[in-house]
Amino acid sequence: MRVPARIFASAEMLDAAFRDRTAQQLVNTATLPGVLKYAMVMPDFHEGYGFPIGGVAAMDAKTGVISPGGVGYDINCGVRLMASHLEKEEVMPYLRDLTNALYRACPSGVGESGRIEVSSRELDELMVEGARWALKQGLAREEDLAHTEEEGTLPGADPSKVSARARERGGDQIGSLGAGNHFLEIDVVEEIFDPEVAKAFGLQENQIVVQIHCGSRGFGHQICDDYVKGFQSSVRKYGISIPDRELVCAPIDSPEGRAYYSAMACAVNYAFVNRQVLAMGVREAFRDVLRGKVRNYDLYQVYDVAHNIAKFEEHEIDGKQVKVCVHRKGATRAFGPGRPEVPEAYRDVGQPVLVPGSMGTASYVLVGTKKAMELSFGSTCHGAGRVMSRAQALKKIWGPDLKQELEERGLVIRAGSTKGLAEEAPVAYKDVSQVVEVVQSAGLARKVARLRPLAVIKG
């Protein structure tokens, strides 16, 4: 190991890191060239491909490596939170109609086509321009971009580094949820923990909000797959010793490393556009169902965060500002007050951090802290984290029974398949409240608000 490994967990959670490959994968990550300070996992950790989910590792930008497995297959999987001007009682009479409208407006399911289809030239443009491309097409508002990580555009994208197969898979999936753990939820703000920060974020108790969780679909998956295969030879070419072939990597400052970063940035920008187009679908659904029935049906964007990404950032290490490439895989940036990367509207309080739970459980809005900058390169958890694989969940849970159980609890459920519903059952995940307590106790983020789901659309 070149640096220590650090696990953020409660005593109860810690055992879980040794029941699957999380701890071993974290140790393996700590052996990579150029890794600085320590490799770590957030409390929503579980085994992943090469790197553990919940993993954070910062590589020296000059001497370190970049690893597709350290970013993940669903590049820039992330969460967007939109808030309404409505209270729960105004929406409840129309909740079922609204859920049906959202289900129609936001396609979900494996291989499902999206809301828009783009030409090859347009695909090139959106890979480079990200959410700004959506703005030019009338699919975004300026304030949406201002409240999106990187303002919806990661620099450095180069479409020539993306394969024909990835382009083929991505051309018709823009504006779709996909499957797996992706979802769209109508929530109510159940409790406010920090009134000052909540006010800055535009949140208040009993308010209706919407979460969108999805990523770069088959486009990003194919890019990761292409470079995982290509990097098998890169480790031999550069003489990099890795304890697990899933950790294939290349020097950041090499033709292979630069090519992967450029292709990954294309997928990051694709995912920002994907969530942006879905957000416009959500606005349309609210308008179609609620127009003439409530005082104001419009939705404004609180924030959009990325989960699976590698980014160049500057952090203080041993008293010096160092440029690093931070890998966050199933982890969320959680920058504290004062950082220029935080939107101007939130710069005095810190970055919004969105931590979705599983169906039927709470989700949280947190705020980034200065302590996170010291402890975790400004990172925190991204969700509840699995305790059960999808295969295990399918053996224990029958989708139709779960749907009935959730609906008896008052939730409106729409799902592409009951199999997918079973795979994402609440019991397959950790208790998100316990995960959030760990990050708050460690100082990685602070609680602002808790959300409770009213309606769930699963991929």
PDB file of all heavy atoms in Angstrom, residues 344-364:
ATOM      1  N   GLU A 344     -22.876  30.374  -6.914  1.00  0.00           N
ATOM      2  CA  GLU A 344     -22.828  31.639  -6.175  1.00  0.00           C
ATOM      3  C   GLU A 344     -23.950  31.729  -5.135  1.00  0.00           C
ATOM      4  O   GLU A 344     -23.738  32.215  -4.025  1.00  0.00           O
ATOM      5  CB  GLU A 344     -22.938  32.807  -7.168  1.00  0.00           C
ATOM      6  CG  GLU A 344     -22.710  34.157  -6.530  1.00  0.00           C
ATOM      7  CD  GLU A 344     -22.724  35.263  -7.567  1.00  0.00           C
ATOM      8  OE1 GLU A 344     -22.752  34.965  -8.765  1.00  0.00           O
ATOM      9  OE2 GLU A 344     -22.706  36.442  -7.143  1.00  0.00           O
ATOM     10  N   ALA A 345     -25.122  31.223  -5.475  1.00  0.00           N
ATOM     11  CA  ALA A 345     -26.267  31.321  -4.568  1.00  0.00           C
ATOM     12  C   ALA A 345     -26.041  30.543  -3.281  1.00  0.00           C
ATOM     13  O   ALA A 345     -26.680  30.832  -2.256  1.00  0.00           O
ATOM     14  CB  ALA A 345     -27.534  30.822  -5.268  1.00  0.00           C
ATOM     15  N   TYR A 346     -25.170  29.526  -3.335  1.00  0.00           N
ATOM     16  CA  TYR A 346     -24.950  28.670  -2.166  1.00  0.00           C
ATOM     17  C   TYR A 346     -23.549  28.846  -1.576  1.00  0.00           C
ATOM     18  O   TYR A 346     -23.190  28.131  -0.633  1.00  0.00           O
ATOM     19  CB  TYR A 346     -25.123  27.191  -2.559  1.00  0.00           C
ATOM     20  CG  TYR A 346     -26.424  26.861  -3.256  1.00  0.00           C
ATOM     21  CD1 TYR A 346     -26.462  25.923  -4.285  1.00  0.00           C
ATOM     22  CD2 TYR A 346     -27.621  27.457  -2.875  1.00  0.00           C
ATOM     23  CE1 TYR A 346     -27.648  25.590  -4.919  1.00  0.00           C
ATOM     24  CE2 TYR A 346     -28.818  27.138  -3.510  1.00  0.00           C
ATOM     25  CZ  TYR A 346     -28.822  26.199  -4.535  1.00  0.00           C
ATOM     26  OH  TYR A 346     -30.008  25.878  -5.155  1.00  0.00           O
ATOM     27  N   ARG A 347     -22.745  29.730  -2.134  1.00  0.00           N
ATOM     28  CA  ARG A 347     -21.324  29.778  -1.770  1.00  0.00           C
ATOM     29  C   ARG A 347     -21.103  30.123  -0.302  1.00  0.00           C
ATOM     30  O   ARG A 347     -20.111  29.707   0.298  1.00  0.00           O
ATOM     31  CB  ARG A 347     -20.592  30.770  -2.680  1.00  0.00           C
ATOM     32  CG  ARG A 347     -19.103  30.498  -2.784  1.00  0.00           C
ATOM     33  CD  ARG A 347     -18.495  31.238  -3.940  1.00  0.00           C
ATOM     34  NE  ARG A 347     -18.972  30.725  -5.221  1.00  0.00           N
ATOM     35  CZ  ARG A 347     -18.938  31.401  -6.368  1.00  0.00           C
ATOM     36  NH1 ARG A 347     -18.441  32.631  -6.384  1.00  0.00           N
ATOM     37  NH2 ARG A 347     -19.392  30.866  -7.472  1.00  0.00           N
ATOM     38  N   ASP A 348     -22.011  30.848   0.298  1.00  0.00           N
ATOM     39  CA  ASP A 348     -21.829  31.213   1.713  1.00  0.00           C
ATOM     40  C   ASP A 348     -22.137  30.056   2.656  1.00  0.00           C
ATOM     41  O   ASP A 348     -21.695  30.052   3.806  1.00  0.00           O
ATOM     42  CB  ASP A 348     -22.738  32.403   2.081  1.00  0.00           C
ATOM     43  CG  ASP A 348     -22.256  33.697   1.454  1.00  0.00           C
ATOM     44  OD1 ASP A 348     -21.079  33.747   1.010  1.00  0.00           O
ATOM     45  OD2 ASP A 348     -23.046  34.650   1.385  1.00  0.00           O
ATOM     46  N   VAL A 349     -22.937  29.080   2.184  1.00  0.00           N
ATOM     47  CA  VAL A 349     -23.340  27.996   3.095  1.00  0.00           C
ATOM     48  C   VAL A 349     -22.694  26.656   2.733  1.00  0.00           C
ATOM     49  O   VAL A 349     -22.523  25.795   3.592  1.00  0.00           O
ATOM     50  CB  VAL A 349     -24.875  27.827   3.120  1.00  0.00           C
ATOM     51  CG1 VAL A 349     -25.534  29.072   3.683  1.00  0.00           C
ATOM     52  CG2 VAL A 349     -25.446  27.493   1.742  1.00  0.00           C
ATOM     53  N   GLY A 350     -22.354  26.457   1.470  1.00  0.00           N
ATOM     54  CA  GLY A 350     -21.779  25.186   1.021  1.00  0.00           C
ATOM     55  C   GLY A 350     -22.649  24.537  -0.041  1.00  0.00           C
ATOM     56  O   GLY A 350     -23.780  24.945  -0.293  1.00  0.00           O
ATOM     57  N   GLN A 351     -22.095  23.502  -0.639  1.00  0.00           N
ATOM     58  CA  GLN A 351     -22.764  22.836  -1.760  1.00  0.00           C
ATOM     59  C   GLN A 351     -23.896  21.935  -1.290  1.00  0.00           C
ATOM     60  O   GLN A 351     -23.745  21.197  -0.317  1.00  0.00           O
ATOM     61  CB  GLN A 351     -21.734  21.991  -2.501  1.00  0.00           C
ATOM     62  CG  GLN A 351     -22.294  21.158  -3.623  1.00  0.00           C
ATOM     63  CD  GLN A 351     -21.368  20.037  -4.015  1.00  0.00           C
ATOM     64  OE1 GLN A 351     -20.176  20.257  -4.186  1.00  0.00           O
ATOM     65  NE2 GLN A 351     -21.900  18.831  -4.170  1.00  0.00           N
ATOM     66  N   PRO A 352     -25.053  21.953  -1.971  1.00  0.00           N
ATOM     67  CA  PRO A 352     -26.084  20.954  -1.662  1.00  0.00           C
ATOM     68  C   PRO A 352     -25.564  19.547  -1.968  1.00  0.00           C
ATOM     69  O   PRO A 352     -24.896  19.323  -2.972  1.00  0.00           O
ATOM     70  CB  PRO A 352     -27.236  21.313  -2.604  1.00  0.00           C
ATOM     71  CG  PRO A 352     -26.987  22.719  -3.033  1.00  0.00           C
ATOM     72  CD  PRO A 352     -25.497  22.874  -3.039  1.00  0.00           C
ATOM     73  N   VAL A 353     -25.878  18.623  -1.093  1.00  0.00           N
ATOM     74  CA  VAL A 353     -25.530  17.213  -1.270  1.00  0.00           C
ATOM     75  C   VAL A 353     -26.830  16.424  -1.216  1.00  0.00           C
ATOM     76  O   VAL A 353     -27.599  16.569  -0.266  1.00  0.00           O
ATOM     77  CB  VAL A 353     -24.578  16.742  -0.154  1.00  0.00           C
ATOM     78  CG1 VAL A 353     -24.335  15.239  -0.267  1.00  0.00           C
ATOM     79  CG2 VAL A 353     -23.263  17.502  -0.207  1.00  0.00           C
ATOM     80  N   LEU A 354     -27.088  15.614  -2.223  1.00  0.00           N
ATOM     81  CA  LEU A 354     -28.352  14.893  -2.331  1.00  0.00           C
ATOM     82  C   LEU A 354     -28.108  13.414  -2.067  1.00  0.00           C
ATOM     83  O   LEU A 354     -27.294  12.787  -2.754  1.00  0.00           O
ATOM     84  CB  LEU A 354     -28.949  15.093  -3.729  1.00  0.00           C
ATOM     85  CG  LEU A 354     -28.993  16.565  -4.210  1.00  0.00           C
ATOM     86  CD1 LEU A 354     -29.487  16.644  -5.645  1.00  0.00           C
ATOM     87  CD2 LEU A 354     -29.856  17.407  -3.283  1.00  0.00           C
ATOM     88  N   VAL A 355     -28.782  12.863  -1.074  1.00  0.00           N
ATOM     89  CA  VAL A 355     -28.569  11.464  -0.675  1.00  0.00           C
ATOM     90  C   VAL A 355     -29.906  10.726  -0.729  1.00  0.00           C
ATOM     91  O   VAL A 355     -30.671  10.746   0.240  1.00  0.00           O
ATOM     92  CB  VAL A 355     -27.967  11.378   0.740  1.00  0.00           C
ATOM     93  CG1 VAL A 355     -27.704   9.916   1.112  1.00  0.00           C
ATOM     94  CG2 VAL A 355     -26.689  12.181   0.832  1.00  0.00           C
ATOM     95  N   PRO A 356     -30.204  10.117  -1.858  1.00  0.00           N
ATOM     96  CA  PRO A 356     -31.477   9.391  -1.962  1.00  0.00           C
ATOM     97  C   PRO A 356     -31.462   8.104  -1.150  1.00  0.00           C
ATOM     98  O   PRO A 356     -30.422   7.454  -1.025  1.00  0.00           O
ATOM     99  CB  PRO A 356     -31.580   9.102  -3.462  1.00  0.00           C
ATOM    100  CG  PRO A 356     -30.184   9.080  -3.953  1.00  0.00           C
ATOM    101  CD  PRO A 356     -29.417  10.047  -3.095  1.00  0.00           C
ATOM    102  N   GLY A 357     -32.631   7.737  -0.613  1.00  0.00           N
ATOM    103  CA  GLY A 357     -32.759   6.443   0.055  1.00  0.00           C
ATOM    104  C   GLY A 357     -33.276   5.420  -0.935  1.00  0.00           C
ATOM    105  O   GLY A 357     -33.126   5.569  -2.146  1.00  0.00           O
ATOM    106  N   SER A 358     -33.881   4.367  -0.438  1.00  0.00           N
ATOM    107  CA  SER A 358     -34.504   3.384  -1.315  1.00  0.00           C
ATOM    108  C   SER A 358     -36.009   3.585  -1.240  1.00  0.00           C
ATOM    109  O   SER A 358     -36.505   4.365  -0.442  1.00  0.00           O
ATOM    110  CB  SER A 358     -34.120   1.968  -0.882  1.00  0.00           C
ATOM    111  OG  SER A 358     -34.367   1.803   0.497  1.00  0.00           O
ATOM    112  N   MET A 359     -36.746   2.869  -2.090  1.00  0.00           N
ATOM    113  CA  MET A 359     -38.195   3.074  -2.146  1.00  0.00           C
ATOM    114  C   MET A 359     -38.828   2.940  -0.761  1.00  0.00           C
ATOM    115  O   MET A 359     -38.558   2.001  -0.034  1.00  0.00           O
ATOM    116  CB  MET A 359     -38.810   2.012  -3.054  1.00  0.00           C
ATOM    117  CG  MET A 359     -38.546   2.203  -4.497  1.00  0.00           C
ATOM    118  SD  MET A 359     -39.284   0.836  -5.435  1.00  0.00           S
ATOM    119  CE  MET A 359     -38.347  -0.554  -4.841  1.00  0.00           C
ATOM    120  N   GLY A 360     -39.684   3.892  -0.420  1.00  0.00           N
ATOM    121  CA  GLY A 360     -40.407   3.781   0.836  1.00  0.00           C
ATOM    122  C   GLY A 360     -39.640   4.284   2.030  1.00  0.00           C
ATOM    123  O   GLY A 360     -40.159   4.289   3.148  1.00  0.00           O
ATOM    124  N   THR A 361     -38.381   4.696   1.816  1.00  0.00           N
ATOM    125  CA  THR A 361     -37.601   5.236   2.932  1.00  0.00           C
ATOM    126  C   THR A 361     -37.268   6.693   2.648  1.00  0.00           C
ATOM    127  O   THR A 361     -37.547   7.213   1.583  1.00  0.00           O
ATOM    128  CB  THR A 361     -36.296   4.452   3.135  1.00  0.00           C
ATOM    129  OG1 THR A 361     -35.444   4.686   2.001  1.00  0.00           O
ATOM    130  CG2 THR A 361     -36.570   2.963   3.245  1.00  0.00           C
ATOM    131  N   ALA A 362     -36.641   7.327   3.607  1.00  0.00           N
ATOM    132  CA  ALA A 362     -36.332   8.744   3.487  1.00  0.00           C
ATOM    133  C   ALA A 362     -35.181   8.997   2.529  1.00  0.00           C
ATOM    134  O   ALA A 362     -34.377   8.120   2.234  1.00  0.00           O
ATOM    135  CB  ALA A 362     -35.987   9.300   4.862  1.00  0.00           C
ATOM    136  N   SER A 363     -35.110  10.219   2.035  1.00  0.00           N
ATOM    137  CA  SER A 363     -33.929  10.739   1.362  1.00  0.00           C
ATOM    138  C   SER A 363     -33.498  11.986   2.122  1.00  0.00           C
ATOM    139  O   SER A 363     -34.292  12.558   2.878  1.00  0.00           O
ATOM    140  CB  SER A 363     -34.228  11.102  -0.095  1.00  0.00           C
ATOM    141  OG  SER A 363     -34.576   9.963  -0.849  1.00  0.00           O
ATOM    142  N   TYR A 364     -32.254  12.404   1.922  1.00  0.00           N
ATOM    143  CA  TYR A 364     -31.753  13.555   2.673  1.00  0.00           C
ATOM    144  C   TYR A 364     -31.123  14.591   1.746  1.00  0.00           C
ATOM    145  O   TYR A 364     -30.519  14.244   0.731  1.00  0.00           O
ATOM    146  CB  TYR A 364     -30.697  13.108   3.692  1.00  0.00           C
ATOM    147  CG  TYR A 364     -31.292  12.406   4.896  1.00  0.00           C
ATOM    148  CD1 TYR A 364     -31.600  11.047   4.838  1.00  0.00           C
ATOM    149  CD2 TYR A 364     -31.569  13.101   6.067  1.00  0.00           C
ATOM    150  CE1 TYR A 364     -32.159  10.402   5.930  1.00  0.00           C
ATOM    151  CE2 TYR A 364     -32.129  12.457   7.164  1.00  0.00           C
ATOM    152  CZ  TYR A 364     -32.413  11.113   7.085  1.00  0.00           C
ATOM    153  OH  TYR A 364     -32.979  10.478   8.173  1.00  0.00           O
TER     154      TYR A 364
END
